[in-house]
Amino acid sequence: MDFTPTEEQEAARELAGRIFADLTTHERLRAAGTGTDAELWKALCAAGLPGAVEETGLLGLVLLLEEQGRVTAQVPFAASCAFGILAVGRHGTDEQRTRLLPGLRDGTTVVTGAFPASGTVSAHDGRLSGTVDWVPWLRDATHVLVPDEDRDLWLVPLVPLGPTEEDAVRVDPVELTAPWSAGRLVLDGAAGERLGRRFGERAGASGGAYEDVLAVARIAFAGLQAGVCAGSLARAVEHTSVREQFGRPLSTHQAVQLRAADAHMDTEAIRVTAYEAAWRLDEGLDAGGAALTAAWWASEAGKRVVHAGQHLHGGTGADLDHPVHRHFLWGRQLDAYLGGGTELLAELGARLAEGDLS
């Protein structure tokens, strides 16, 4: 396996890094509050970065999400690419791709996903009913990708299509640990269109559409966590290099060095497992186990890294307005969103017990 970025992937990452660095300052994040930075989202779409994911693949998306995570930029990039561009591109019909992909590329269409579903949604004759307690970026989305009880995937528009749909879909604002414009999704006979094959039908090496989209999302958000951790660690290194204690920088103390070194190794483990899982999926190999592994590292190790980032800031890290605290909030939210280390490890163990060593 070779994780070396292609010229196209490297160019997209450099462009994303410049845009995120220029437009995601501490002052702009404070001004955005818990909402999305609409100007930043327009800039990313105008630069063609969401559309570039079609060419650079999931590994390319992971590289872009690392750059977002470094600065905790408040845009629905991960959700709309994982549940929108890649899901529609990999599992949509020709008609769905023709209709939906142009809007996903230019940002006028934003898709999020009710993954993992914290409620139960049933489907009957193309009508969905049920509740999902919280969905990230739901308040920014035009569509939401919803798995039903049978793990069929349904694309549900959030903009009412007519008088009969006015009360069929409701979005109630929900504030999470991180400012992800989340919402509670309530469906009452909402119209949806099927996306992909039924669960269990073969669709390449990754299995059914549900399994494939779940693996893509886990890998994408693990890449986002790699960036969050890298940004937290970079801030800690900068702080300890200039803050002095007993007449010398904190970074010269062995205890500080060891804590930072552990955080660095955890961050690299998150990164390399996300890269491997993305590479496997891009190559058409079975990526379910690799996606779980990446998600576990992102959840378990990510939590350790963002705690270390705050700890290495000392009393400054307790300031809720300090930039490093935002990395802490994102790291903990990603831990929860990916499912938590214990649950992910149990799922991995179940796969091993069933003889799945992939």
Side-chain angles (χ1 to χ4, degrees):
M1 60 186 70
D2 184 4
F3 307 148
T4 305
T6 64
E7 290 184 9
E8 292 78 8
Q9 290 171 338
E10 190 61 46
R13 175 166 64 176
E14 290 178 359
L15 177 58
R18 290 198 299 270
I19 294 174
F20 281 126
D22 290 344
L23 295 182
T24 313
T25 62
H26 181 52
E27 291 72 26
R28 284 178 63 90
L29 287 168
R30 289 181 62 185
T34 61
T36 292
D37 189 332
E39 182 180 343
L40 173 58
W41 180 239
K42 289 179 182 178
L44 292 167
C45 295
L49 289 173
V53 172
E54 294 177 86
E55 301 297 327
T56 61
L58 182 55
L59 181 55
L61 174 59
V62 167
L63 295 173
L64 298 180
L65 292 176
E66 275 193 85
E67 300 304 319
Q68 178 186 357
R70 289 180 200 277
V71 294
T72 60
Q74 292 174 201
V75 287
F77 199 94
S80 199
C81 287
F83 300 118
I85 285 180
L86 291 179
V88 172
R90 292 169 66 85
H91 300 288
T93 63
D94 290 340
E95 187 277 331
Q96 286 173 326
R97 289 194 291 268
T98 300
R99 171 165 48 90
L100 295 169
L101 285 176
L104 286 164
R105 294 180 190 122
D106 65 23
T108 55
T109 298
V110 175
V111 178
T112 189
F115 287 72
S118 55
T120 301
V121 174
S122 60
H124 181 69
D125 293 334
R127 295 282 175 172
L128 279 71
S129 297
T131 300
V132 183
D133 291 336
W134 62 275
V135 180
W137 308 109
L138 188 64
R139 283 177 276 162
D140 293 331
T142 59
H143 297 72
V144 57
L145 189 63
V146 182
D148 66 17
E149 293 174 313
D150 297 322
R151 291 184 174 177
D152 289 333
L153 298 183
W154 299 88
L155 197 61
V156 178
L158 297 176
V159 178
L161 301 178
T164 60
E165 295 297 317
E166 287 182 357
D167 299 321
V169 181
R170 192 175 83 240
V171 174
D172 299 326
V174 172
E175 297 302 336
L176 304 178
T177 302
W180 285 4
S181 296
R184 180 173 182 263
L185 179 66
V186 181
L187 303 173
D188 184 12
E193 59 176 310
R194 277 278 303 278
L195 185 73
R197 295 181 172 89
R198 293 183 62 85
F199 175 70
E201 293 180 358
R202 297 300 292 175
S206 296
Y210 171 84
E211 287 183 321
D212 185 72
V213 173
L214 178 59
V216 167
R218 281 172 164 166
I219 297 165
F221 281 91
L224 184 61
Q225 181 75 302
V228 169
C229 291
S232 175
L233 185 56
R235 292 189 183 279
V237 169
E238 180 182 9
H239 175 80
T240 57
S241 296
V242 298
R243 186 67 177 263
E244 292 189 354
Q245 187 180 56
F246 307 124
R248 58 193 179 110
L250 287 171
S251 59
T252 63
H253 294 272
Q254 187 179 47
V256 172
Q257 293 173 355
L258 291 174
R259 191 77 194 274
D262 286 342
H264 171 73
M265 293 305 297
D266 273 337
T267 301
E268 289 302 297
I270 299 168
R271 177 181 288 118
V272 74
T273 52
Y275 285 7
E276 179 190 2
W279 174 85
R280 289 185 64 86
L281 195 139
D282 284 340
E283 292 295 312
L285 303 172
D286 187 356
L292 261 174
T293 302
W296 181 82
W297 274 103
S299 180
E300 192 73 13
K303 183 168 50 181
R304 290 196 297 264
V305 173
V306 296
H307 275 265
Q310 281 211 289
H311 187 197
L312 289 171
H313 277 76
T316 305
D319 182 359
L320 301 185
D321 193 47
H322 194 280
V324 77
H325 185 65
R326 190 174 291 110
H327 289 270
F328 173 78
L329 296 178
W330 277 64
R332 291 310 306 258
Q333 184 62 62
L334 282 162
D335 166 39
Y337 180 65
L338 288 166
T342 302
E343 290 188 18
L344 291 166
L345 196 60
E347 190 174 342
L348 270 171
R351 290 178 68 105
L352 291 172
E354 292 169 359
D356 183 356
L357 304 179
S358 59

